[in-house]
Amino acid sequence: MNRRKFIHRTAVTSAGIGMTTVIPSGVWSAPAAPSDTLNVALIGCKNMGFGILRHHLSNPGVNCVAMCDIDDNVLNAQAGQIRENFSQNPRLYKDFRKMLEQKDIDAVIIGTPDHWHCLLLVAALQSGKDVYVEKPMANSIEECNIMVKAAKRYNRIVQVGQQQRSGFIFQKAMDLIRSGSIGKLRKINIWANFNYGAGPAIVADEPVPPGIDFDMWLGPAPNRPFNRNRFHGTWRLFWDYGGGLMSDWGVHLIDMGLWALNIVKAPEKVLVYAGNTFSEKRARETFDSMSVCYPGSDWVINFDMTAGVQRGPYDMPYGIAFIGDRATIVADRSKIQVWPEWDDEGNKLKAEEYRFTEGKESHGEHVKNFIECVKTRNTPACPPEIARAAALHVHIPNIAGRTGDSVLIWDDANNRFRNSEAANRLIAPVYREPWELPRI
Ligand SMILES: NC(=O)c1ccc[n+]([C@@H]2O[C@H](COP(=O)([O-])OP(=O)(O)OC[C@H]3O[C@@H](n4cnc5c(N)ncnc54)[C@H](O)[C@@H]3O)[C@@H](O)[C@H]2O)c1
């Protein structure tokens, strides 16, 4: 009965006055065919996962039937918002295994830190759910491989949260590149400079605060005392859980470079500088400065990041420049501009100028694409193969930085580095018992 309940929450335009009215949730409900409803559950409720859940719930026919978090404070606060703003009453869990036993869940959103993505994805697929999993797909090469295999084996829809693939700005960039308007694409320069990547001030370990199942938060990662800097939000600066700015922003932006070049595979070779140039000692293991070069046959991608500053080329803290023979396209999530080359003799521009500065967030579109694909069973905008390619482009430079290799050669067919045994030892994480790396 519950699944047949359809709560109409769409924005409708009032005829004649051109105003947008939102019908409050729960005011009007009518039966709908089961095919029109989608019951979603969220694992990892604090920040991004919750945002993605909200995007789901602003689509008609989507219900939140379960939420799971290891932190009672987060779980109760976010569930309260879902009750208040969407008139939904999800069942609450601290252990995802119990949640996945709930029969009426169609799709699971995974919004936990990266070290949990693989285990949770496989568990959700094995219980028959479709999955929206946040980026980067996983925290290691081997986990990405497993996730690609699992999505195929269990034949479910998997969307990875590289939402720029669903937004206007980068779709426009791809149209411009594919229509030939910038000439031959020769070089892609990417940069990402953010203060947060330098890390927070160092604080001491402390007892686990009340309401938190820290053992479950650590999951497959090594056991250690609780420290706030390695927990909510800032976990991404510690290798056991994330990959620093390189993977946090790199995966989004390098994904755009790969899309432009129609590449859906791992890099064969990376040249890497990875180091720490920031003046203060902060709580962080990941690098604060990296310059990475991915050389192709007749193109090159450069990625450059500096944590602890927020200035960058074109006065943009992060962005991407697609450099063609006739013009360069410069873009971030809200703006895109074509900068034409000019002809020496006639001073004529070699391409048409173009500028758009009102880009919208693309999360909502990416979620819509997922919902659509759950219904049609079509391949979503960012399936596991695409996400794996982007993830390997960030994990390999991080591995190079950790082993001190300035060049790594990757043999994708044999899943190993050709030139570094130290790097080979970082392909797969060692899971802490009782957790085991899934075998598919
Ligand atoms: N697509 C984007 O633009 C974007 C932006 C930010 C973050 N992200 C991604 O979203 C994910 C979450 O990042 P965040 O910044 O929201 O992290 P966060 O630390 O703010 O939230 C993670 C939540 O997961 C919970 N959690 C951890 N382990 C759990 C488990 N085993 N079971 C249930 N809950 C668990 C935590 O308690 C916390 O509430 C990451 O993979 C991150 O890379 C994506």
Side-chain angles (χ1 to χ4, degrees):
M1 280 307 286
N2 204 22
R3 293 195 54 195
R4 295 182 62 86
K5 217 163 176 211
F6 176 62
I7 299 175
H8 186 74
R9 272 190 310 277
T10 40
V12 293
T13 304
S14 313
I17 48 173
M19 251 176 61
T20 297
T21 313
V22 177
I23 299 179
S25 55
V27 167
W28 183 79
S29 64
S35 60
D36 287 337
T37 68
L38 178 67
N39 288 347
V40 297
L42 171 63
I43 309 176
C45 303
K46 186 160 175 40
N47 174 27
M48 199 63 228
F50 190 65
I52 292 300
L53 173 64
R54 292 180 65 106
H55 281 297
H56 276 80
L57 294 178
S58 35
N59 285 276
V62 182
N63 307 312
C64 175
V65 294
M67 293 172 75
C68 171
D69 204 290
I70 59 80
D71 184 341
D72 287 342
N73 312 303
V74 169
L75 187 60
N76 293 330
Q78 306 295 58
Q81 283 206 42
I82 294 299
R83 279 192 288 270
E84 202 173 304
N85 300 328
F86 295 93
S87 302
Q88 306 260 319
N89 201 9
R91 289 175 67 180
L92 305 185
Y93 299 88
K94 225 164 163 169
D95 186 329
F96 70 94
R97 293 166 293 192
K98 293 255 158 32
M99 191 195 86
L100 290 175
E101 288 168 11
Q102 191 180 315
K103 291 281 175 286
D104 62 349
I105 299 170
D106 300 313
V108 172
I109 302 163
I110 300 174
T112 62
D114 310 348
H115 68 290
W116 261 110
H117 289 182
C118 178
L119 276 174
L120 293 176
L121 176 99
V122 172
L125 295 175
Q126 285 174 338
S127 56
K129 324 293 186 205
D130 295 318
V131 180
Y132 186 113
V133 57
E134 261 311 333
K135 56 43 69 174
M137 188 178 188
N139 198 32
S140 71
I141 294 175
E142 189 56 17
E143 289 168 305
C144 291
N145 297 341
I146 291 167
M147 292 162 85
V148 169
K149 276 196 224 152
K152 277 203 191 103
R153 158 119 193 246
Y154 299 107
N155 194 22
R156 309 307 304 171
I157 300 297
V158 175
Q159 172 87 297
V160 183
Q162 288 160 215
Q163 71 277 353
Q164 291 171 172
R165 286 199 172 239
S166 295
F168 170 78
I169 293 280
F170 286 103
Q171 287 176 351
K172 178 71 187 175
M174 298 310 140
D175 288 349
L176 288 165
I177 292 164
R178 306 218 197 292
S179 69
S181 59
I182 66 163
K184 180 186 176 296
L185 179 58
R186 297 170 54 190
K187 185 182 273 189
I188 298 174
N189 286 341
I190 299 169
W191 63 99
N193 302 332
F194 290 95
N195 278 339
Y196 81 86
I202 293 168
V203 296
D205 294 344
E206 59 180 293
V208 179
I212 291 170
D213 182 347
F214 186 53
D215 187 65
M216 189 61 138
W217 188 95
L218 286 169
N223 196 14
R224 61 169 57 248
F226 181 85
N227 188 298
R228 278 180 199 279
N229 284 335
R230 305 176 65 105
F231 193 50
H232 291 333
T234 40
W235 52 263
R236 48 192 19 92
L237 305 177
F238 297 88
W239 297 121
D240 287 338
Y241 330 118
L245 262 191
M246 177 80 229
S247 69
D248 217 24
W249 272 90
V251 83
H252 278 303
L253 296 168
I254 293 167
D255 184 34
M256 298 298 95
L258 300 178
W259 195 13
L261 292 162
N262 290 314
I263 292 173
V264 187
K265 59 176 189 165
E268 284 161 22
K269 183 179 188 181
V270 296
L271 290 76
V272 179
Y273 163 79
N276 292 306
T277 62
F278 188 58
S279 45
E280 291 168 42
K281 183 99 185 91
R282 296 271 186 91
R284 163 175 52 79
E285 290 175 346
T286 53
F287 303 108
D288 64 41
S289 306
M290 289 182 75
S291 300
V292 182
C293 176
Y294 309 87
S297 49
D298 63 348
W299 50 264
V300 57
I301 300 178
N302 292 305
F303 174 81
D304 189 78
M305 51 149 270
T306 314
V309 299
Q310 46 195 354
R311 287 268 184 208
Y314 303 89
D315 202 18
M316 292 155 68
Y318 75 93
I320 180 161
F322 301 94
I323 301 172
D325 277 335
R326 306 218 306 257
T328 294
I329 298 172
V330 178
D332 65 11
R333 288 179 180 175
S334 62
K335 53 190 181 299
I336 176 166
Q337 180 158 3
V338 175
W339 298 82
E341 292 294 320
W342 61 91
D343 184 317
D344 280 346
E345 287 108 55
N347 222 11
K348 257 175 48 187
L349 295 182
K350 291 187 180 175
E352 266 183 44
E353 288 175 291
Y354 176 81
R355 187 172 151 83
F356 179 82
T357 56
E358 285 150 48
K360 285 191 244 128
E361 257 302 354
S362 41
H363 288 107
E365 295 305 313
H366 207 51
V367 167
K368 271 193 182 37
N369 171 260
F370 174 62
I371 294 171
E372 194 55 36
C373 292
V374 166
K375 288 183 183 161
T376 60
R377 312 314 287 173
N378 288 335
T379 305
C382 189
E385 292 78 5
I386 285 178
R388 174 186 179 271
L392 265 60
H393 276 77
V394 302
H395 290 320
I396 291 176
N398 266 341
I399 289 174
R402 294 172 72 184
T403 56
D405 288 299
S406 53
V407 178
L408 277 180
I409 317 278
W410 174 248
D411 175 355
D412 205 34
N414 292 303
N415 198 44
R416 62 187 307 279
F417 293 99
R418 289 183 203 275
N419 64 330
S420 171
E421 279 316 310
N424 282 329
R425 286 193 283 278
L426 294 179
I427 291 172
V430 178
Y431 274 18
R432 181 175 65 116
E433 287 180 359
W435 304 103
E436 286 178 15
L437 201 59
R439 282 197 205 96
I440 304 296

